């Protein structure tokens, strides 16, 4: 049982506020992804959980025990680092067995566990090699195996795949997800890659400027972003935004189109719609086509609506060319509204 | 146009010639004296004192045997080894922790500290020799192997700090952190991960400290009387000793230093941030 509770954690580096108001509960055996742009504080949060960094404020609990004053070795965690951190002076076998040797386990137990995780990570043929004789992908497998061999309550991963090439990354992504699901550990996985986050996570915590903006399942984060930042960050291409003005109670005027919306007293709202949730129709917003990009399965059309850049993903059979004017209608149940002042979602 | 195209290779060739000449000159500057030292050491005393001198060594151990038999020479050699050995151990014990701290921790005054380390080399030893001698006499450290080793340690420590600093900086922090998460304390992470990785470099740094002490003559001459090191002993007997003794002594001094420095050259380059090849 390893529920992780992070309570009111904040971190300052000198005058720089790297993290503030972090409150997060990660369930037992959950796969939590911390997602955000570079420099938003993901690694700092992970390192606070690992004990490699001390929080300026707040508490960290693992499995019902407060652990923020303990050294890393007493927290029941194992970590996989971005640059693998495979010990160059030890063989793959001794790398994977390093933590077990520190626990003074008997030799045959070490051999048994090392062999098991090595087979799991498909590196059982490399056990006698040194890290200098391994490829990046193999090193990362060693790093993961080394963490798994500890049979930890919690496994922490800081962008473990970001140094691998695209194809390998995709392969490892699926494999890692499978292996971790088997191992019954709670996992926190840091990445800046939203595809990785969407495909692996049970839950995603989207971080921005040292805060957690939204923590929810991948589909929830995608469909119901809690803030404009999330809407603009998740999804490729990202959501479209337009300014909406009131047109009666629960009615909003968007680029010449009257739409049902929230009953809000705000002077303006931001209307948001995903590019794939737009349809061609007789009546709708007038969109002047700027760029047409055929992507095979779809056509990505970048246009201008109401003086704002606006993207639509349309059927690839469509004959659209630069300079055309399209009439687009948003799918009503997919429209989201944001308060321009607080940038939070308005229902 | 044509003038330019024909001229360019010309100047380049001239440049290369100058470069080659400079290389030859510099090599000769170092190697020719070494070569004569070598010839004269491995010739019989008679040959050394005669003229003209041969250009090939006779491989006669007469001079070396005479050197070994010279009164006080062997004990001076023993003192040199003792002092250099102590210097080596002390400068690593003091220098390596400082190098580690410099590479791993951020603390107030770090830059000043680094500068101060170098500044210790800014005071010429002759300036310090008299006060040092007085202090040593008061504390009873004068004319002892340990006292001299202390002085040599102060000379060697700055290099030990700088070399180990660059060694530690070359070990990614992540390796240590990984060790911590795998059950190590700060200390066991150091002994199990960092130490094995920097051991060759530490050895090199120790050897360098040894050579600094081995070659040092001024402090050795001022601070010892009975327990002279080899350098001080040779200096003392310079005008009275025969030529072949000087050659043999010089040879014994130069060769270990040369071999050691050659062995650790990679780390000395690293100290100054020059990529080694
Ligand atoms: N040891 C440190 N000293 C000072 N600032 C730091 C330190 N570590 C991280 N930071 C700063 O904190 C912010 C968050 O860093 P980090 O957690 O590494 O971001 P991420 O992993 O999301 O890219 C960055 O702006 C970074 O410059
Ligand atoms: Mg990071």
């Amino acid at each position: 049982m390893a529920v992780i509770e992070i309570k009111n954690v904040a971190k300052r580096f000198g005058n720089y506020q790297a993290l503030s108001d972090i409150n997060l509960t990660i369930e037992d055996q959950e796969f939590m992804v911390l997602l955000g742009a570079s420099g938003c504080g993901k690694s700092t949060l992970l390192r606070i959980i690992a004990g490699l960094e001390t929080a300026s404020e707040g508490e960290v609990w693992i499995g019902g025990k407060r652990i923020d004053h303990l050294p890393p070795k007493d927290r029941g965690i194992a970590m996989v680092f971005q640059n693998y951190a495979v010990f160059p002076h030890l063989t793959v076998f001794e790398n994977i067995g390093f933590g077990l040797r520190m626990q003074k386990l008997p030799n045959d137990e070490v051999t048994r566990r090392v062999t098991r995780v090595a087979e799991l990570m498909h590196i059982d043929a490399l056990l006698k090699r040194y890290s200098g004789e391994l490829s990046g992908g193999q090193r990362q497998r060693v790093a993961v195996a080394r963490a798994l061999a500890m049979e930890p309550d919690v496994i922490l991963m800081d962008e473990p795949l970001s140094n691998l090439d695209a194809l390998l990354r995709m392969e490892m992504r699926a494999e890692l997800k499978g292996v971790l699901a088997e191992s019954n550990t709670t996992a926190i996985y840091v990445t800046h890659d939203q595809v990785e986050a969407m495909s692996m996570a049970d839950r995603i915590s989207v971080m921005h400027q040292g805060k957690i903006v939204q923590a929810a399942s991948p589909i929830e984060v995608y469909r119901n972003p809690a803030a404009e930042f999330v809407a603009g960050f998740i999804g490729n291409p990202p959501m479209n935004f337009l300014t909406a003005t009131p047109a009666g109670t629960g009615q909003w005027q968007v680029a010449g189109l009257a739409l049902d919306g929230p009953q809000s007293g705000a002077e303006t709202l931001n209307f948001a719609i995903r590019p794939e949730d737009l349809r061609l129709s007789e009546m709708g917003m007038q969109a002047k086509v700027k760029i047409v990009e055929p992507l095979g399965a779809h056509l990505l059309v970048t246009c201008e609506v109401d003086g704002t850049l606006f993207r639509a993903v349309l059927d690839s059979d469509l004959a659209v060319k630069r300079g055309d004017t399209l009439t687009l209608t948003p799918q009503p149940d997919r429209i989201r509204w944001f308060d321009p002042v607080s940038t939070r979602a308005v229902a | 146009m044509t003038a330019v195209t024909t001229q360019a290779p010309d100047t380049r060739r001239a440049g290369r010639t100058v470069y080659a000449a400079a290389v030859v000159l510099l090599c000769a500057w170092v190697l020719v004296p070494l070569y004569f030292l070598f010839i004269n050491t491995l010739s019989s005393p008679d040959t050394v004192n005669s003229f003209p001198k041969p250009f090939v060594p006779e491989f006669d151990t007469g001079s070396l045997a005479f050197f070994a038999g010279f009164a006080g020479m062997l004990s001076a050699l023993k003192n040199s080894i003792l002092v250099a050995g102590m210097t080596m151990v002390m400068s690593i014990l003091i220098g390596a922790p400082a190098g580690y701290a410099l590479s791993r921790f951020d603390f107030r005054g770090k830059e000043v500290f680094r500068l101060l380390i170098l500044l210790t080399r800014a005071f010429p030893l002759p300036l310090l020799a008299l006060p040092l001698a007085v202090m040593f006499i008061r504390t009873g450290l004068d004319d002892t192997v340990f006292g001299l080793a202390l002085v040599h340690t102060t000379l060697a420590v700055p290099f030990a700090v700088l070399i180990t600093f660059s060694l530690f900086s070359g070990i990614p922090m992540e390796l240590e952190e990984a060790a911590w998460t795998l059950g190590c304390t700060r200390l066991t992470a150091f002994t199990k991960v960092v130490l094995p990785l920097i051991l060759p470099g530490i050895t090199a740094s120790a050897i360098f400290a040894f050579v600094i002490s081995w070659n040092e003559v001024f402090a050795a001459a001022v601070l010892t009387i009975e327990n002279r090191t080899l350098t001080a002993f040779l200096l003392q007997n310079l005008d009275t000793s025969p030529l072949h003794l000087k050659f043999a002594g010089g040879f014994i001094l130069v060769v270990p230093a040369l071999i050691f420095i050659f062995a650790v050259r990679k780390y000395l380059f690293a100290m100054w941030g020059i990529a080694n090849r």
Side-chain angles (χ1 to χ4, degrees):
Chain A
M1 277 302 290
V3 177
I4 305 170
E5 291 159 282
I6 299 158
K7 299 178 181 172
N8 295 315
V9 162
K11 176 69 183 177
R12 282 175 296 274
F13 291 111
N15 288 329
Y16 180 75
Q17 186 84 34
L19 291 175
S20 46
D21 286 336
I22 304 288
N23 283 287
L24 191 63
T25 302
I26 299 152
E27 299 303 333
D28 184 35
Q29 301 187 24
E30 189 175 24
F31 195 120
M32 170 65 87
V33 170
L34 301 181
L35 175 66
S38 176
C40 71
K42 309 178 296 287
S43 295
T44 305
L45 180 54
L46 197 74
R47 291 167 57 83
I48 286 173
I49 299 169
L52 300 174
E53 202 84 72
T54 33
S56 309
E57 285 165 34
E59 302 173 2
V60 183
W61 295 64
I62 294 179
K65 203 171 111 199
R66 185 167 174 190
I67 49 99
D68 46 74
H69 56 284
L70 297 178
K73 71 184 178 67
D74 299 328
R75 295 189 174 202
I77 55 123
M79 187 152 168
V80 179
F81 293 82
Q82 182 170 5
N83 298 313
Y84 323 132
V86 173
F87 304 129
H89 62 299
L90 299 176
T91 60
V92 168
F93 184 97
E94 285 305 326
N95 260 285
I96 300 175
F98 187 89
L100 308 177
R101 295 244 191 261
M102 290 309 296
Q103 293 174 2
K104 305 230 158 33
L105 292 187
N107 253 328
D108 52 343
E109 173 71 3
V110 173
T111 309
R112 195 182 62 74
R113 271 160 78 165
V114 170
T115 316
R116 190 182 68 80
V117 290
E119 274 166 15
L120 197 66
M121 294 307 297
H122 307 293
I123 45 174
D124 41 328
L126 309 174
L127 286 175
K128 290 200 177 66
R129 298 223 197 147
Y130 286 89
S131 86
E133 305 162 321
L134 302 176
S135 70
Q138 290 169 333
R139 272 178 225 182
Q140 196 53 280
R141 285 170 186 276
V142 174
V144 173
R146 185 173 65 183
L148 288 175
M150 300 286 287
E151 296 175 5
D153 299 329
V154 176
I155 188 161
L156 307 171
M157 288 169 277
D158 193 352
E159 313 217 11
L161 304 184
S162 65
N163 284 348
L164 306 181
D165 58 54
L167 202 64
L168 201 56
R169 197 151 63 210
M170 212 155 80
E171 195 184 301
M172 279 291 280
R173 198 165 75 200
E175 202 177 318
L176 208 54
K177 186 176 175 173
V179 166
L180 284 169
E182 285 288 303
S183 72
N184 299 330
T185 46
T186 310
I188 306 184
Y189 185 104
V190 163
T191 182
H192 64 263
D193 180 342
Q194 50 164 304
V195 180
E196 224 168 88
M198 297 293 282
S199 68
M200 296 178 90
D202 292 328
R203 217 149 44 104
I204 299 178
S205 294
V206 184
M207 292 185 64
H208 181 50
Q209 293 178 347
K211 289 198 168 75
I212 292 179
V213 190
Q214 184 173 14
S217 70
I219 196 66
E220 177 74 7
V221 167
Y222 188 78
R223 283 281 170 244
N224 296 313
E228 256 186 65
F229 170 77
V230 181
F233 187 74
I234 305 270
N236 188 16
M239 268 183 132
N240 294 304
F241 295 97
L242 289 172
T243 304
T245 49
T249 41
Q251 289 281 307
W252 297 85
Q253 184 81 17
V254 182
L257 202 64
L259 295 166
D260 287 337
Q263 299 196 2
S264 157
E267 275 171 34
T268 62
L269 281 184
N270 285 339
F271 154 94
I273 188 79
R274 294 220 173 264
E276 66 268 29
D277 297 332
L278 289 162
R279 299 282 171 272
L280 284 182
S281 63
E282 312 283 294
M283 283 257 302
M285 309 179 211
Q286 299 300 303
K288 199 158 166 28
V289 176
K290 294 276 181 198
I291 306 163
V292 181
E293 296 166 81
L295 299 179
H298 308 283
L299 207 58
L300 175 61
V301 184
T302 306
C303 8
E304 202 181 276
V305 174
D306 219 13
T308 311
L309 222 54
F310 203 84
R311 293 192 188 85
V313 171
L314 302 174
D315 197 287
S316 55
D317 294 337
L318 226 54
V320 188
K321 62 181 187 300
R322 187 184 147 81
D324 286 357
T325 301
L326 303 176
T327 312
L328 298 170
T329 320
Q331 214 171 298
D333 60 329
R334 292 287 168 82
I335 299 171
R336 297 293 173 266
W337 305 89
F338 295 96
D339 185 319
V341 182
S342 71
T343 78
R344 309 296 301 184
V346 189
Chain B
M1 188 62 205
T2 47
V4 172
T5 47
T6 53
Q7 202 184 355
D10 258 11
T11 42
R12 207 177 307 144
R13 197 176 310 140
R16 214 176 296 145
T17 311
V18 171
Y19 178 76
V23 168
V24 169
L25 201 70
L26 275 175
C27 287
W29 176 268
V30 175
L31 291 178
V32 168
L34 279 178
Y35 185 62
F36 280 120
L37 194 62
F38 180 65
I39 294 173
N40 284 299
T41 304
L42 291 178
S43 299
S44 64
D46 291 341
T47 321
V48 173
N49 289 307
S50 69
F51 200 83
K53 301 203 178 299
F55 276 90
V56 283
E58 294 176 323
F59 294 105
D60 182 306
T61 52
S63 293
L64 282 172
F66 182 79
F67 169 84
F70 196 83
M73 194 61 84
L74 281 185
S75 95
L77 186 63
K78 191 191 83 190
N79 283 338
S80 264
I81 293 172
L82 269 180
V83 172
M86 281 184 180
T87 303
M88 180 169 94
V89 172
M90 287 196 286
S91 57
I92 290 305
L93 286 184
I94 298 169
Y100 184 78
L102 276 177
S103 87
R104 287 295 190 254
F105 302 112
D106 268 320
F107 50 89
R108 196 185 288 260
K110 182 167 162 174
E111 291 308 309
V112 178
F113 181 67
R114 277 179 69 176
L115 195 67
L116 280 177
I117 289 172
L118 279 178
L119 271 185
T120 57
R121 299 308 310 258
F123 299 98
L125 206 50
L127 201 72
L128 302 172
L130 195 61
L132 257 181
V134 171
M135 211 169 81
F136 270 36
I137 290 169
R138 283 201 190 133
T139 51
L141 278 174
D142 61 303
D143 203 13
T144 62
V145 164
F146 178 68
L148 187 57
L150 272 185
V151 176
H152 286 178
T153 302
T154 61
L155 296 179
V157 153
F159 295 103
V161 174
L162 289 180
I163 297 174
T164 52
F165 165 67
S166 87
L167 289 172
F168 288 124
S169 303
I171 310 272
M173 195 63 211
E174 272 193 354
L175 286 185
E176 265 182 276
E177 291 177 342
W180 299 343
T181 62
L182 290 167
C184 286
T185 60
R186 258 197 137 79
L187 184 69
T188 50
F190 183 84
T191 54
K192 287 203 181 299
V193 174
V194 180
L195 204 56
L197 289 174
I198 58 154
L199 209 53
I202 289 275
T203 313
S205 167
I207 286 175
F208 190 58
F210 187 94
V211 172
I212 286 179
S213 166
W214 181 265
N215 281 346
E216 202 282 331
V217 61
F218 192 88
V222 173
L223 296 174
T224 59
I225 301 161
E226 295 294 316
N227 293 313
R228 299 245 122 154
T229 60
L230 193 56
T231 45
F233 187 82
L234 284 174
L235 185 72
Q236 183 186 27
N237 297 305
L238 208 53
D239 37 352
T240 56
S241 58
L243 199 53
H244 52 276
L245 183 77
K246 290 179 196 167
F247 274 120
F251 185 76
I252 296 295
L253 275 178
V254 164
V255 166
L258 270 183
I259 292 174
F260 285 164
I261 294 293
F262 187 76
V264 303
R265 66 197 184 285
K266 179 168 131 192
Y267 296 96
L268 300 183
F269 284 138
M271 172 168 64
W272 306 117
I274 306 166
N276 58 65
R277 277 188 238 167

